[in-house]
Amino acid sequence: MTTASAARKSGHQASDKALVVSGVGKSYGDTAILAGLDLRVEPGEIVTIVGPSGVGKTTLLRCLTGLAPVSAGSVKLGDTPVDHPLAEIAVVFQDYRASLLTWMKVRENVAFPLQGLGVGRAERRRRAEEALATVGLTGVERKHPWQLSGGMQQRVAIARALAYNAPVLLMDEPFGSLDAQTRFDLEDLVLQLRRDLGMTIVLVTHDIDEAVYLGDRVVVLGGRPATVMDTVEVGLGAERDQITTKAQPRFAELRGRILSEIRSNRR
């Protein structure tokens, strides 16, 4: 089954619009965080964003979501300005525990935000169950988040984003607090979402291995205020494996290049 047909079967709309960042600047008071930042994410592409701690990666992601207004330049999805949160853009944050409502069961957690979109009860339930199945959580619908492992809770957070049927998924260091094996499993889930649903994915991470493993391109931020210092074409193919892909000489070459750039741009 092709990506497009898989997306149609699931009811999920595959991405057909580029996410375009043009000359973006972001300041808080007199402190400039981003300046003159340009970035284009093509439909169905995975772009990972790395840089030194505190460089402004999360600030950029908030600008991409419309949660933080830009101080200069523009962010657009296709022809639509991203100056407020759009239904076409879903977000998964790092602190999944804080984002889940502990008194609600898993299915209700996934379905709850859809009320604000005017989605009826039966459709909310259908979307929630479908999204949970997509992330491998069929059978836990009636559990509470606190009854699940950290990795399963993050899957619930991803399922909630998928229930929007948004073609674009933005992720802010989503696996940073998880153990290595759980992290690997969820990295492979991200690749599956792109393969099966045709999603455009932008993922901020501090982990260079993760950035290279997941990305079609890796964007390296640096400077003060931050801008794009390098855009690295990964070229490891669409089908990736945690063992064989990371054993490739190309993988080690890219990891070394990006690490060197980040170290040279530390504040």
Side-chain angles (χ1 to χ4, degrees):
M1 181 179 294
T2 65
T3 297
S5 62
R8 285 194 296 270
K9 181 179 179 181
S10 70
H12 197 283
Q13 179 62 49
S15 176
D16 62 358
K17 300 176 183 177
L19 182 63
V20 182
V21 179
S22 302
V24 159
K26 177 63 179 176
S27 299
Y28 294 101
D30 295 330
T31 303
I33 307 299
L34 310 172
L37 198 148
D38 296 312
L39 173 63
R40 181 182 178 93
V41 184
E42 298 295 342
E45 186 178 27
I46 299 179
V47 169
T48 54
I49 299 174
V50 298
S53 179
V55 76
K57 300 185 294 295
T58 293
T59 297
L60 172 58
L61 200 79
R62 288 179 61 81
C63 291
L64 298 183
T65 65
L67 292 171
V70 300
S71 304
S74 66
V75 179
K76 291 185 177 182
L77 181 63
D79 296 326
T80 304
V82 185
D83 51 13
H84 63 282
L86 302 179
E88 294 173 280
I89 299 177
V91 188
V92 174
F93 295 104
Q94 179 179 12
D95 192 357
Y96 54 87
R97 290 185 177 90
S99 69
L100 298 177
L101 304 175
T102 58
W103 61 91
M104 282 187 177
K105 294 179 180 178
V106 165
R107 182 171 56 211
E108 285 65 43
N109 260 283
V110 174
F112 178 70
L114 297 176
Q115 294 184 43
L117 300 178
V119 179
R121 178 178 295 180
E123 176 65 8
R124 291 199 305 269
R125 178 170 179 154
R126 185 194 69 79
R127 285 204 206 175
E129 291 179 350
E130 182 180 87
L132 287 166
T134 299
V135 301
L137 286 182
T138 298
V140 304
E141 296 88 348
R142 298 187 61 80
K143 293 183 180 292
H144 288 88
W146 49 266
Q147 294 177 288
L148 306 179
S149 67
M152 294 175 76
Q153 288 181 52
Q154 186 60 298
R155 286 177 185 261
V156 174
I158 294 171
R160 185 165 59 187
L162 294 181
Y164 276 91
N165 289 344
V168 179
L169 178 63
L170 307 181
M171 310 182 84
D172 185 14
E173 299 197 22
F175 313 137
S177 61
L178 301 172
D179 64 88
Q181 185 56 58
T182 302
R183 187 184 192 118
F184 295 160
D185 291 342
L186 290 176
E187 288 171 357
D188 289 336
L189 174 61
V190 170
L191 295 175
Q192 175 193 325
L193 296 178
R194 191 267 295 275
R195 181 178 64 249
D196 293 348
L197 303 180
M199 301 188 81
T200 302
I201 300 173
V202 180
L203 185 143
V204 165
T205 180
H206 64 272
D207 188 294
I208 297 172
D209 283 16
E210 181 170 89
V212 175
Y213 181 71
L214 291 177
D216 297 311
R217 290 183 294 141
V218 180
V219 173
V220 183
L221 300 186
R224 187 175 184 179
T227 190
V228 175
M229 304 300 294
D230 193 10
T231 300
V232 180
E233 298 285 347
V234 173
L236 291 172
E239 297 298 324
R240 302 185 188 183
D241 175 81
Q242 291 285 350
I243 297 174
T244 59
T245 300
K246 292 179 178 179
Q248 292 182 30
R250 173 71 174 168
F251 189 94
E253 173 192 339
L254 293 171
R255 179 175 54 196
R257 170 180 168 180
I258 293 167
L259 177 58
S260 177
E261 290 175 342
I262 290 175
R263 285 182 170 176
S264 67
N265 283 290
R266 284 178 178 167
R267 294 183 179 181

